[in-house]
Amino acid sequence: MKAGELYLLGKHLMELASRGMRDDADPEVPEIYLVLISVVVEAPGLSISELTARTGFAQSHVSAAVAKLRERGALRTRPDPADRRRTLVTPEDGLVTAVARRQRRDAEQVLAAALTELDPDEDSAAERAARLVRAADELYRLLTARALKVGGDSAALMPLHSLAEEASGKPKK
């Protein structure tokens, strides 16, 4: 795979993820809002710089989105007691339930649906999706650890699928 193909793969994955994070009845909102809300619900109390590292969005975009989401009543912010220059972000209470419901949509389901469009053999698509999601999960953990500067210590990462596991009672495969 060439770097250009990797970039295009990222674009395709973002499109699939965006479809998986939305409901048909949802108002149209910027994807940064959906991503930030998911991350803040999973790991409340992150700073703006930690959110920036975790999501890959520019710090100015994260700050602006957090401000808008705070105005809309979705997030709360407060100064970090250890360093008053840092802002910590937490979700409003009702947000946790809504995000948990959405996160029941497993990446494997989203990917299998897309693969079934190409090959109607659902069993084959499901097996391929499972294999690809395992590889993507490993890549996600490695690249997120790098972005957060925690080295190879994946235990230091809060997985973004923990809410779905908690709500469904099923551990991740």
Side-chain angles (χ1 to χ4, degrees), residues 2-21:
K2 295 182 175 90
E5 292 167 325
L6 181 62
Y7 178 84
L8 293 173
L9 172 61
K11 299 283 278 182
H12 293 305
L13 291 173
M14 286 173 48
E15 180 184 319
L16 287 173
S18 179
R19 276 194 264 159
M21 289 189 300

Side-chain angles (χ1 to χ4, degrees), residues 122-160:
E122 288 184 30
D123 291 336
S124 172
E127 289 173 23
R128 186 178 298 144
R131 187 180 76 247
L132 294 170
V133 167
R134 282 191 301 274
D137 189 53
E138 180 181 358
L139 185 59
Y140 164 77
R141 290 180 188 292
L142 291 169
L143 295 177
T144 301
R146 178 180 171 260
L148 294 173
K149 296 175 179 41
V150 295
D153 182 13
S154 62
L157 300 178
M158 170 68 154
L160 294 185

Side-chain angles (χ1 to χ4, degrees), residues 8-107:
L8 293 173
L9 172 61
K11 299 283 278 182
H12 293 305
L13 291 173
M14 286 173 48
E15 180 184 319
L16 287 173
S18 179
R19 276 194 264 159
M21 289 189 300
R22 295 179 189 274
D23 284 330
D24 292 337
D26 285 346
E28 194 62 32
V29 297
E31 287 177 18
I32 188 172
Y33 292 6
L34 298 172
V35 173
L36 285 174
I37 285 170
S38 290
V39 172
V40 169
V41 165
E42 292 289 349
L46 292 178
S47 69
I48 298 292
S49 60
E50 290 167 327
L51 284 170
T52 298
R54 172 78 70 161
T55 63
F57 291 112
Q59 185 158 347
S60 60
H61 292 153
V62 171
S63 294
V66 166
K68 284 284 187 194
L69 289 166
R70 188 183 62 231
E71 287 171 17
R72 292 181 177 188
L75 301 177
R76 293 186 304 263
T77 60
R78 63 182 170 83
D80 182 345
D83 181 351
R84 311 253 335 135
R85 295 169 296 174
R86 291 173 22 121
T87 299
L88 302 180
V89 184
T90 55
E92 288 294 343
D93 297 333
L95 209 51
V96 175
T97 304
V99 170
R101 186 181 71 245
R102 292 239 166 104
Q103 287 192 351
R104 287 190 189 124
R105 285 185 206 126
D106 189 281

